[in-house]
Amino acid sequence: MTPRRLTPALLTLLAATLGLTAPAHAADDEGRLITRNTDGAWFLQQPEGTPGKGCVARFTAATKDQSQLALLGPTATSSTAALLMHGPRIATPRSARDVSLELQQDGLPAATLRGALMAASGPRGGGFLMVPVGDLTQTMASMRAKEEGMQVRVDGVDVFRLSYDGLDKAREAMRDCLAGKPFTGGKSLAEATAEVRPVGNSTITGTAFFKNAVLAKKRYPPKGSQAIGLIWMSDEFKQWFEMVKQSQKMPDRIPDHIARHFMVTTVLDDEGGFRFTRLPPGEYQLIVDFSYTETVARTEVTGRTDVYAGNRYIGSNDHLSVWMEDVRNSVTFSKTVHIAKDGDTLQVSLDKSMLGCFFICR
């Protein structure tokens, strides 16, 4: 049995099993950890200097798309509270657009709400859907502590799905924040991240694309996908991976101290942009894995005409039918990079036409 290929999809699953719930490019102001579970993690953002204002409780799912649900309290400049959903299937209009949305929860009748699709903001993939609420405390009280497969539809299309747990703890922290009480417990995002992957001050950023010929057009991993992974190539990981290669069998469970070497990030734009932040110095392996559609010509012999000169057979002509067909192809490639010192930023062009492969290259 050969070792299972470690694609970004597998890296995501590994990260999820450890509770790695924050995207690698998450901002430093994501707040402090309220609670973490197998579904994801809740963080509380509490700005200094404005007690009771600007409170945000944000849940990030431990799933491949890392969808988010945020409870937004009133700010110093706005008395409006809101629920904010973020996910890869939510549209990103040029400007905010009012919509009617349908909320579906297990065991409850569907509810129709008014909301707004928000214009794209920053480099993050996916879109934002905001639902204003009049009384956030009352709204939180009506929400269940755990939801399984909550769905939101806009114009008859599924745009958001989320399973979460721990809202009871997030609700308590949010109530205290709205009352002006400081939230002293919980780890910062950096501290929580350090438990499940290496943390430093360096960044790896760049673009990824594939060209199967010199004159072929570039193929990019889809925007918003988790198509780009990163492996921290420490001596510890190299020793473990050498043992895996020698045994020719992937272990049933990857140890926590090895799984923390795997990271994934979201493709930021239509040209394969990516970013990994908070990395320490060292050697890293970037891995790209995605599929693309290619139109190819297919030819079929549908008949034949024999040719004679007099009574002498001199050959035959094939009757050909030609049609165009869309074919789904997949590609995996990798590149090794080195961060020399803490705080460095590496700009990387991740191009298969120039690269070798680490695990398996198709």
Side-chain angles (χ1 to χ4, degrees), residues 292-316:
Y292 64 93
T293 300
E294 183 177 29
T295 302
V296 298
R298 300 293 192 192
T299 304
E300 182 181 0
V301 177
T302 57
R304 177 177 295 172
T305 300
D306 294 331
V307 181
Y308 292 85
N311 293 324
R312 183 181 178 185
Y313 173 75
I314 62 173
S316 60

Side-chain angles (χ1 to χ4, degrees), residues 164-191:
Y164 68 77
D165 199 356
L167 178 64
D168 50 343
K169 296 182 176 61
R171 182 165 46 212
E172 182 180 350
M174 192 65 174
R175 285 171 177 164
D176 286 346
C177 184
L178 293 173
K181 300 178 182 179
F183 181 65
T184 57
K187 301 178 177 66
S188 68
L189 178 60
E191 291 170 336

